[in-house]
Amino acid sequence: MLIRPFLVMGVALLLVLDVSAMEGAAARTPVEQFAPLLRTALESPDGTARGMLTGGLAAAISRQYQTSAPIHIDVSTIVRYRQQGCARLRVEVAQDGVRLNTTVTPGKQHLRFELNYCRDGLPPRGLEVAR
């Protein structure tokens, strides 16, 4: 029967996708501020950090946009600078179910920005790229 191998393969693929989705959700670090994720990205070998905003700031944003969906933050390193512990970072913030006004259907909203950042919280002294 030819259908059975495809059915088994399809079920296996769904299980793998489900596990991957669960791992992605579990890999998010709860944070009340952006700074811990920025430092984690600086120290990470792959230059990334994933978090979920919690606390008062998250509650205020969720109240403003009338959603209870989690606020996800993804930080990635664009370039590392010669000054130790400094890099250009991209920060992406996303939340589902955001209601911008009463006439628009709630949906997913994204905010993306970049900044030069060092472990001490200050910008780098120079922008010479590490080799």
Side-chain angles (χ1 to χ4, degrees):
M1 194 160 165
L2 188 57
I3 294 176
R4 187 177 175 129
F6 287 112
L7 181 61
V8 171
M9 198 165 61
V11 169
L13 181 60
L14 284 174
L15 289 173
V16 168
L17 291 175
D18 190 42
V19 168
S20 296
M22 288 173 26
E23 287 173 354
R28 292 198 176 273
T29 304
V31 294
E32 291 190 21
Q33 301 175 10
F34 286 74
L37 291 175
L38 300 177
R39 284 190 298 274
T40 299
L42 288 174
E43 295 166 5
S44 169
D46 70 353
T48 65
R50 295 167 38 99
M52 183 174 60
L53 192 62
T54 61
L57 179 58
I61 292 170
S62 294
R63 212 174 18 258
Q64 173 68 32
Y65 295 111
Q66 303 171 24
T67 180
S68 60
I71 300 171
H72 292 166
I73 305 168
D74 295 318
V75 181
S76 57
T77 301
I78 297 170
V79 64
R80 294 189 190 269
Y81 294 121
R82 178 171 278 192
Q83 183 181 341
Q84 191 68 19
C86 299
R88 176 108 181 141
L89 301 174
R90 175 179 292 127
V91 180
E92 297 185 42
V93 183
Q95 186 176 31
D96 286 325
V98 171
R99 182 179 292 279
L100 295 175
N101 63 51
T102 57
T103 62
V104 176
T105 304
K108 187 169 194 162
Q109 293 295 315
H110 298 268
L111 170 68
R112 179 185 297 169
F113 60 94
E114 296 178 4
L115 71 157
N116 295 323
Y117 191 81
C118 297
R119 250 184 254 132
D120 62 5
L122 298 174
R125 291 185 298 276
L127 301 181
E128 191 174 340
V129 177
R131 301 213 187 272

